[in-house]
């Protein structure tokens, strides 16, 4: 029998700034969010299976090693939740690189630092078989993101009414 080596390569791309506008009867609130596109190339079966289920597809295009590309977008809070869950001593107790600091303003410099630091964290997860095979990591990489391909984020206000969201192309 031949064994196929495991492929698991993750890339964090440049952050995309989104401005979310919510209008009420008395005011308009604007919230800025940065989403970081992530590409995972893997042939690890847990990811292939989860990707097929969560994206209702046939597993995507495969290379000669059976690897697929999974693309998603994640916000700082989603990276922080992943980091916290994998670092928690009662679950995995992973010693991961530190998370970047929270920032009040979304500048190019902050986004670049976060991109680099997120890459370090995901690389550490990729190198650890137990962490990358964990349910929390599989979910992080394979669940559909909260943005739609046309750049509109699916959000609602507290009463369930839709909120319109626009991409800031600057």
């Amino acid at each position: 029998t031949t064994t196929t080596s495991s492929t698991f390569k993750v890339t964090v791309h440049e952050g995309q700034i989104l401005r979310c506008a919510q209008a009420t009867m008395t005011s308009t609130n604007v919230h800025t969010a940065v989403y970081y596109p992530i590409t995972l190339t893997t042939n690890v079966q847990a990811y292939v299976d989860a990707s097929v289920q969560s994206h209702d597809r046939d597993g995507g295009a495969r290379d000669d090693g059976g690897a697929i590309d999974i693309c998603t977008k994640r916000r700082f809070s989603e990276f922080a939740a992943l980091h916290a869950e994998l670092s928690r001593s009662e679950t995995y107790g992973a010693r991961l690189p530190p998370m970047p600091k929270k920032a009040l303003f979304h500048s190019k410099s902050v986004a670049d630092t976060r991109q680099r630091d997120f890459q370090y964290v995901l690389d550490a997860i990729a190198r650890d078989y137990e962490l990358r095979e964990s349910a929390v990591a599989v979910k992080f990489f394979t669940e559909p993101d909260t943005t739609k391909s046309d750049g509109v984020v699916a959000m609602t206000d507290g009463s369930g009414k839709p909120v319109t969201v626009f991409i800031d192309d600057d």
Side-chain angles (χ1 to χ4, degrees), residues 21-151:
Q22 177 183 7
T24 65
M25 294 291 239
T26 57
S27 67
T28 299
N29 297 322
V30 178
H31 170 74
T32 301
V34 180
Y35 286 83
Y36 294 86
I38 301 168
T39 303
L40 171 63
T41 302
T42 187
N43 61 358
V44 174
Q45 196 61 46
Y47 288 87
V48 174
D49 293 346
S51 178
V52 170
Q53 284 182 337
S54 66
H55 296 286
D56 192 28
R57 60 183 182 191
D58 64 1
R62 294 173 182 256
D63 65 15
D64 290 338
I68 62 169
D69 286 336
I70 300 171
C71 301
T72 191
K73 295 176 185 168
R74 296 290 178 248
R75 293 183 58 185
F76 180 95
S77 60
E78 293 167 301
F79 279 97
L82 173 70
H83 191 279
E85 182 64 27
L86 293 178
S87 298
R88 200 170 286 131
S89 62
E90 55 272 6
T91 52
Y92 297 97
R95 292 182 358 175
L96 296 173
M99 282 287 294
K101 301 270 190 262
K102 269 290 235 191
L104 281 163
F105 301 102
H106 299 290
S107 68
K108 174 97 169 96
S109 173
V110 167
D112 290 347
T113 298
R114 282 183 176 180
Q115 177 188 355
R116 182 196 66 225
D117 291 348
F118 291 153
Q119 185 70 55
Y120 292 152
V121 170
L122 296 183
D123 286 345
I125 293 168
R127 286 189 301 270
D128 186 306
Y129 177 80
E130 183 181 8
L131 293 181
R132 76 178 191 201
E133 298 275 333
S134 70
V136 68
V138 171
K139 182 178 175 182
F140 177 85
F141 286 110
T142 61
E143 277 199 344
D145 57 58
T146 56
T147 63
K148 296 179 181 176
S149 61
D150 61 2

